[in-house]
Amino acid sequence: MGRPKDSDRRDVRALILEQAKKLFYEQGYGQITIRKIAREIGYSPAAIYLYFQNKDEILYELHNEGFRLLYEYKMRVISDGVEGPEDRLNKGGLMYINFALDNPEYYEVMFNMPEPRDFMDRQQKSGDVGERVDYAMLSYRFLREGVQGLLDAGHFPGVDVDTAAFAFWAFVHGLVSLIIRKRIPYPQAPTRELAHQVMEFFMFSMAQRIKAAVSD
Amino acid sequence: MGRPKDSDRRDVRALILEQAKKLFYEQGYGQITIRKIAREIGYSPAAIYLYFQNKDEILYELHNEGFRLLYEYKMRVISDGVEGPEDRLNKGGLMYINFALDNPEYYEVMFNMPEPRDFMDRQQKSGDVGERVDYAMLSYRFLREGVQGLLDAGHFPGVDVDTAAFAFWAFVHGLVSLIIRKRIPYPQAPTRELAHQVMEFFMFSMAQRIKAAVSD
Amino acid sequence: MGRPKDSDRRDVRALILEQAKKLFYEQGYGQITIRKIAREIGYSPAAIYLYFQNKDEILYELHNEGFRLLYEYKMRVISDGVEGPEDRLNKGGLMYINFALDNPEYYEVMFNMPEPRDFMDRQQKSGDVGERVDYAMLSYRFLREGVQGLLDAGHFPGVDVDTAAFAFWAFVHGLVSLIIRKRIPYPQAPTRELAHQVMEFFMFSMAQRIKAAVSD
Amino acid sequence: MGRPKDSDRRDVRALILEQAKKLFYEQGYGQITIRKIAREIGYSPAAIYLYFQNKDEILYELHNEGFRLLYEYKMRVISDGVEGPEDRLNKGGLMYINFALDNPEYYEVMFNMPEPRDFMDRQQKSGDVGERVDYAMLSYRFLREGVQGLLDAGHFPGVDVDTAAFAFWAFVHGLVSLIIRKRIPYPQAPTRELAHQVMEFFMFSMAQRIKAAVSD
DNA sequence: AATGAATGAGAGTTCATTCAT
DNA sequence: AATGAATGAACTCTCATTCAT
């Protein structure tokens, strides 16, 4: 709002992303327009194009930022010192849910908008990739390693690690997606507690399965 | 694509829905425009408005048609004479997956677009509801009854039926969503077999849990 | 609203005009559309064209009807047995004001819409006139005769009768126009009483002038 | 028509208003469309929106400009050094007539179109008013002061100043409206001379009234 | 006498994007 | 580094009107 002070300008690119995110949060993705972002940061629409190739690149950056943040959430599992494959998986799921419900708009760009992926694909085709940390990949690996831990401990014998990991992921993704999209079959408003509760039910069942398998 | 033959014209309304769905599938929801649909069916844009109030109503109809079709898929559980709560739940899940992978474009309108719901809400506000079968509700009830069957048989003691139903739904929804959106962590193309396999893993674990619980 | 009974149908043309007028009254001239009229009388839009060449002819008929009605208002001067040129002129003015404020929408078609006149001009050019009573002309003649009465009595010596008549007409027309268009310089809502009061002021001044002239 | 020369471009906003006015004059208010204006000034329709919020704002500006210009015409009464309340009122009336007949298209926007007022009301509601001189108000005040001058000199005893002012205004407004709308009852084309003549008749009568009243 | 089905023409508006300066 | 000025290409939607049936 209004022209930023010189000191704020240092990283106009960051400023743009910040405002894009804010607009996203406050008004939904249909409202991210170049003009609005420009107005918000006190620059002209044309200025945006000095920092981004086009609108899709902005969404792509938000998409990346989202995955970075998701990874940050997941790392709390480690910083909190959670031990044991089961607890780590459970805690990882809770963190995933928290991230999604804390940042529904990020979640949308990450999983429900085609543009960022389109941009990515185009970049890759033109060989213009650059060296970035792939946080989406890191997040998946973190999950996969957790699941591998279970398998190593003898659980789910004969099950492919990717298949099992995919199942875990599908579950939490479905859970938060339905909540964010307001498709839950409860009359009340969706809450984090509800999500955690459903998650517990899932994990508890799995845990039992694990125990059951082990006790055989 | 040129004027359709007389035989094609019989139900212009159906033609419109068909092309809207096709455009959606081939080019994404941002590409469903009145003009494109009109061009595709060989009519003028104005003609669309003889059959639909506005664009949102088109999406709303696809959304409805989708839920009707999903219910049809689910009813195969019954027409195939599947017995026993576990098998019914499992079969219901497979049908859900089949529906979603057979009709990804319907699936998107049903779960990923705000417009149909907006239209619904507006209709309800203006009291313009009409007497329609609510297939979304019927589908959910079908799931819920299946889950209730399990609970009645003593499984998952202490778990709320809606919570359990939600968990099952979340799982399959997440599964197909990731596949449709091409977010699966496998290098290969997503297949129905993969989906079924992951689903089996989930159900197998649950089944074990059930047995474990029962054998306690 | 709804299909009229057979007995009502006898004069579809009249029905159309009636509903056009009603729409005009209730929603303003921007709302007179062929479709709305058709819906209101329970016929198809195409049916309108069996009775009228086009939309302008409908407005033209309303315009005519308006002038007929205005003449009816004016005739009350005679049916009320008002005598004396001054009183007749005064009463005629009050009737004009009443007509306009009772029927602002008619007044609009009569004096503020170009379409009816355009239609009239086109008709005249194509020699398609027909034998109609010209109520606009009759009304003007009535005014003119009243003014002529004053002149005959020796008032306004040297003044052309058309000039004087025009002046009287201009005054009342301006008066009601400003009120209908809500351009009056009073904070309160415009009332018939206000119009009558202003009119009285005008006529009183004129009357004085007449007396003054006579007493010279 | 065609791209304007560089020299013409200097003030595109003014160009737009100019052409809007011209279209209005030549083809009627139903013909003022964004597209036509754009074509006429050699710009794209989108360019209009760089200078105006929407179509109504264009009409609003013409409306404002009209009132500014009317005030300018009225100020000639002062710059010409006319003295005495009667002469000032008379001269003011002539100026009003001249303005209207010189600028019939402005007159229409000022008094016969709802849009500018609608725009004004919306602006006021949204608190977006800005500090503009209200020339409509100034014009009315000028008239009112003239009339007050007469009252102060003892004329029209017992008459409210707003009522008397309204009567004067109604008269000239009706006069020019009928002429602009071509509703004059003369076979000849309407002329400024005719208007002045009718006005003189009105003022002469009033003047007599004044004298008569004074001589009592 | 009446209409179902259709359209051409056009409305206002918004957007991402470009480019000379 | 930044922008003022502009546009092309859409968009949704509405209307008066036509014509085969």
Side-chain angles (χ1 to χ4, degrees):
Chain A
M1 237 168 286
R3 190 58 167 257
K5 286 171 197 140
D6 271 356
S7 60
D8 294 336
R9 283 221 230 163
R10 253 177 239 141
D11 202 353
V12 181
R13 197 169 202 275
L15 217 58
I16 292 168
L17 288 173
E18 198 183 293
Q19 289 304 330
K21 198 174 62 183
K22 202 179 126 205
L23 276 171
F24 208 9
Y25 260 72
E26 292 171 358
Q27 313 191 33
Y29 61 82
Q31 303 308 314
I32 308 187
T33 70
I34 297 285
R35 291 157 122 82
K36 279 191 185 165
I37 296 170
R39 198 188 314 135
E40 216 65 26
I41 64 173
Y43 281 80
S44 75
I48 308 279
Y49 290 87
L50 297 174
Y51 301 95
F52 295 91
Q53 295 176 38
N54 52 35
K55 196 184 163 187
D56 284 0
E57 194 185 356
I58 297 177
L59 293 174
Y60 172 67
E61 289 298 341
L62 289 179
H63 159 274
N64 276 1
E65 173 67 9
F67 277 107
R68 202 194 53 69
L69 196 56
L70 169 60
Y71 190 63
E72 219 173 278
Y73 268 78
K74 286 202 162 187
M75 283 305 100
R76 290 181 201 167
V77 175
I78 287 173
S79 63
D80 285 5
V82 180
E83 296 294 340
E86 295 167 32
D87 285 345
R88 287 181 80 142
L89 214 51
N90 187 50
K91 177 79 172 179
L94 295 178
M95 287 301 104
Y96 191 97
I97 289 169
N98 285 352
F99 165 75
L101 300 187
D102 288 348
N103 309 279
E105 299 288 1
Y106 267 138
Y107 205 82
E108 295 275 321
V109 211
M110 290 159 71
F111 293 107
N112 276 322
M113 295 185 69
E115 288 88 347
R117 288 286 160 141
D118 294 349
F119 183 82
M120 241 170 78
D121 294 349
R122 263 178 279 135
Q123 288 296 92
Q124 261 165 1
K125 265 191 191 157
S126 70
D128 224 5
V129 206
E131 283 308 315
R132 283 178 175 270
V133 181
D134 184 344
Y135 286 103
M137 181 66 82
L138 288 180
S139 273
Y140 181 67
R141 271 197 202 139
F142 184 73
L143 165 66
R144 197 176 184 277
E145 277 159 22
V147 172
Q148 185 67 58
L150 285 183
L151 298 183
D152 290 347
H155 304 311
F156 310 124
V159 174
D160 173 40
V161 60
D162 278 311
T163 301
F166 188 27
F168 278 92
W169 184 20
F171 177 70
V172 285
H173 174 66
L175 195 55
V176 296
S177 292
L178 290 175
I179 291 176
I180 289 174
R181 295 277 172 169
K182 306 204 169 110
R183 301 305 174 104
I184 49 151
Y186 298 91
Q188 321 94 299
T191 62
R192 179 160 325 214
E193 283 66 41
L194 172 68
H196 285 187
Q197 187 185 340
V198 177
M199 167 87 192
E200 295 285 309
F201 166 68
F202 179 79
M203 289 304 290
F204 175 67
S205 301
M206 289 294 177
Q208 285 299 106
R209 154 75 189 116
I210 292 159
K211 279 184 208 151
V214 169
S215 67
D216 282 352
Chain B
M1 247 180 254
R3 187 55 164 263
K5 284 166 201 146
D6 269 356
S7 61
D8 293 339
R9 281 221 229 167
R10 261 183 227 134
D11 200 352
V12 181
R13 198 168 201 275
L15 218 59
I16 292 168
L17 289 174
E18 199 181 293
Q19 288 303 331
K21 201 174 63 178
K22 202 179 124 202
L23 275 171
F24 198 5
Y25 190 50
E26 290 172 1
Q27 310 190 34
Y29 60 82
Q31 301 309 312
I32 308 186
T33 71
I34 296 286
R35 287 160 127 84
K36 279 191 185 165
I37 295 170
R39 201 185 310 135
E40 214 65 27
I41 64 173
Y43 282 80
S44 73
I48 309 280
Y49 290 89
L50 297 176
Y51 301 95
F52 296 91
Q53 293 177 40
N54 52 37
K55 195 184 161 187
D56 282 359
E57 196 188 357
I58 298 178
L59 295 173
Y60 173 66
E61 286 300 335
L62 287 179
H63 161 274
N64 273 3
E65 176 65 12
F67 277 107
R68 203 193 53 70
L69 198 54
L70 169 59
Y71 190 63
E72 219 173 279
Y73 269 78
K74 287 201 160 187
M75 283 305 98
R76 289 182 201 165
V77 175
I78 286 174
S79 63
D80 285 7
V82 179
E83 296 295 339
E86 295 166 34
D87 285 346
R88 286 182 82 141
L89 214 52
N90 187 51
K91 177 77 171 181
L94 294 177
M95 287 302 103
Y96 191 98
I97 289 169
N98 284 353
F99 164 75
L101 300 188
D102 288 348
N103 309 278
E105 67 283 12
Y106 273 136
Y107 204 82
E108 295 275 320
V109 196
M110 291 158 70
F111 292 108
N112 276 322
M113 297 187 67
E115 287 88 347
R117 289 285 160 142
D118 295 348
F119 184 82
M120 241 170 77
D121 294 348
R122 262 179 281 136
Q123 290 292 92
Q124 261 167 1
K125 262 190 195 162
S126 69
D128 227 5
V129 204
E131 283 306 316
R132 283 182 174 264
V133 181
D134 185 345
Y135 287 103
M137 180 67 81
L138 288 180
S139 274
Y140 180 67
R141 272 197 202 139
F142 185 73
L143 165 65
R144 198 174 182 277
E145 277 159 21
V147 172
Q148 185 68 58
L150 286 183
L151 298 184
D152 289 346
H155 303 313
F156 310 125
V159 174
D160 174 41
V161 60
D162 280 308
T163 301
F166 188 26
F168 278 92
W169 182 20
F171 176 71
V172 285
H173 174 65
L175 194 55
V176 297
S177 292
L178 289 174
I179 292 176
I180 290 174
R181 296 277 173 166
K182 305 199 171 115
R183 299 306 173 104
I184 48 153
Y186 299 91
Q188 323 94 301
T191 64
R192 179 161 326 217
E193 284 66 40
L194 172 67
H196 285 188
Q197 188 185 339
V198 177
M199 167 86 192
E200 296 285 311
F201 166 67
F202 179 78
M203 288 304 291
F204 175 67
S205 302
M206 289 295 176
Q208 285 297 108
R209 155 76 188 111
I210 291 158
K211 279 184 210 151
V214 168
S215 67
D216 278 354
Chain C
M1 240 172 281
R3 189 57 167 259
K5 287 171 196 137
D6 270 357
S7 60
D8 294 337
R9 282 220 231 163
R10 255 177 239 140
D11 202 353
V12 182
R13 197 167 201 275
L15 218 58
I16 293 168
L17 288 173
E18 198 182 293
Q19 289 303 332
K21 197 174 64 185
K22 202 179 125 204
L23 276 171
F24 207 9
Y25 260 73
E26 292 171 359
Q27 314 190 35
Y29 60 83
Q31 301 309 314
I32 309 188
T33 70
I34 296 286
R35 291 156 123 82
K36 279 191 184 164
I37 295 169
R39 198 189 313 133
E40 214 66 27
I41 64 172
Y43 282 80
S44 75
I48 308 279
Y49 290 87
L50 298 172
Y51 301 95
F52 295 91
Q53 295 176 35
N54 52 35
K55 197 183 163 187
D56 284 1
E57 194 186 356
I58 298 178
L59 294 174
Y60 171 66
E61 289 298 341
L62 289 179
H63 160 273
N64 277 0
E65 174 67 8
F67 277 108
R68 202 193 54 68
L69 196 56
L70 169 59
Y71 190 61
E72 220 172 277
Y73 269 78
K74 286 202 162 188
M75 282 307 100
R76 289 181 201 167
V77 175
I78 287 174
S79 63
D80 284 5
V82 179
E83 297 295 338
E86 294 167 33
D87 284 346
R88 287 181 81 141
L89 213 52
N90 187 51
K91 177 78 173 180
L94 294 178
M95 286 303 102
Y96 191 98
I97 289 169
N98 283 354
F99 165 75
L101 300 188
D102 287 349
N103 308 279
E105 300 287 2
Y106 268 138
Y107 205 82
E108 294 276 321
V109 212
M110 291 158 70
F111 293 108
N112 276 323
M113 296 185 67
E115 289 89 348
R117 289 286 160 139
D118 294 351
F119 182 81
M120 241 170 77
D121 295 349
R122 264 179 277 133
Q123 287 297 93
Q124 263 167 0
K125 263 191 193 157
S126 68
D128 225 4
V129 205
E131 283 308 315
R132 282 177 174 271
V133 181
D134 184 344
Y135 286 102
M137 180 66 82
L138 288 180
S139 274
Y140 181 67
R141 272 200 201 135
F142 184 74
L143 165 65
R144 198 173 183 277
E145 278 158 21
V147 171
Q148 185 68 56
L150 285 183
L151 298 184
D152 289 348
H155 303 312
F156 309 126
V159 174
D160 174 41
V161 60
D162 280 310
T163 301
F166 188 26
F168 277 92
W169 184 19
F171 177 70
V172 284
H173 174 66
L175 194 56
V176 297
S177 292
L178 290 175
I179 290 176
I180 289 174
R181 296 277 172 169
K182 308 205 168 109
R183 301 305 175 105
I184 49 153
Y186 299 91
Q188 322 94 299
T191 63
R192 181 161 323 217
E193 284 65 42
L194 172 68
H196 285 187
Q197 188 185 340
V198 176
M199 166 88 191
E200 295 284 310
F201 166 67
F202 178 79
M203 288 305 289
F204 175 67
S205 301
M206 287 297 177
Q208 284 300 106
R209 155 76 188 114
I210 292 159
K211 280 186 208 149
V214 169
S215 67
D216 280 354
Chain D
M1 244 174 280
R3 190 53 165 264
K5 283 165 201 148
D6 269 357
S7 60
D8 293 338
R9 282 222 230 166
R10 260 181 229 135
D11 198 353
V12 181
R13 199 168 200 275
L15 219 58
I16 291 168
L17 290 174
E18 200 181 292
Q19 289 301 332
K21 202 175 62 180
K22 201 179 126 203
L23 275 170
F24 199 6
Y25 190 49
E26 291 172 1
Q27 311 190 33
Y29 62 81
Q31 302 307 314
I32 308 188
T33 71
I34 295 286
R35 288 161 128 85
K36 278 191 186 165
I37 296 170
R39 200 185 312 134
E40 213 66 25
I41 65 173
Y43 282 81
S44 73
I48 308 281
Y49 291 88
L50 298 175
Y51 301 95
F52 295 91
Q53 293 178 40
N54 53 35
K55 194 184 163 187
D56 283 0
E57 196 188 357
I58 298 179
L59 295 174
Y60 173 65
E61 286 300 336
L62 287 180
H63 160 273
N64 274 3
E65 176 66 11
F67 277 108
R68 204 194 53 69
L69 198 56
L70 168 60
Y71 191 63
E72 220 173 278
Y73 269 77
K74 286 200 161 190
M75 283 304 100
R76 289 182 201 164
V77 175
I78 287 174
S79 63
D80 285 6
V82 180
E83 297 294 339
E86 295 167 34
D87 285 345
R88 286 181 83 141
L89 213 53
N90 187 50
K91 177 78 172 179
L94 295 177
M95 286 301 103
Y96 191 98
I97 290 169
N98 284 353
F99 164 75
L101 301 187
D102 287 349
N103 308 280
E105 67 282 12
Y106 271 136
Y107 203 81
E108 295 275 321
V109 197
M110 290 158 70
F111 292 108
N112 277 322
M113 297 188 68
E115 287 88 348
R117 291 284 161 141
D118 294 350
F119 184 82
M120 241 170 78
D121 293 349
R122 261 179 281 136
Q123 289 293 93
Q124 261 166 1
K125 262 191 194 158
S126 69
D128 226 5
V129 204
E131 284 306 316
R132 283 183 175 264
V133 181
D134 185 345
Y135 287 103
M137 180 67 82
L138 289 180
S139 275
Y140 181 69
R141 272 198 202 138
F142 186 72
L143 164 65
R144 199 174 182 277
E145 278 158 22
V147 172
Q148 184 69 57
L150 286 183
L151 298 184
D152 290 347
H155 304 313
F156 309 126
V159 174
D160 174 41
V161 59
D162 278 309
T163 300
F166 187 25
F168 277 92
W169 183 20
F171 176 70
V172 285
H173 174 64
L175 194 57
V176 297
S177 291
L178 289 174
I179 292 175
I180 289 174
R181 295 276 173 168
K182 305 200 172 115
R183 300 306 172 104
I184 49 152
Y186 298 92
Q188 323 92 300
T191 62
R192 180 161 325 215
E193 283 66 39
L194 172 67
H196 285 188
Q197 189 185 338
V198 177
M199 166 85 192
E200 295 284 312
F201 165 67
F202 179 78
M203 288 304 290
F204 176 66
S205 302
M206 289 296 175
Q208 284 300 105
R209 155 77 187 112
I210 292 159
K211 277 185 209 150
V214 168
S215 67
D216 281 351

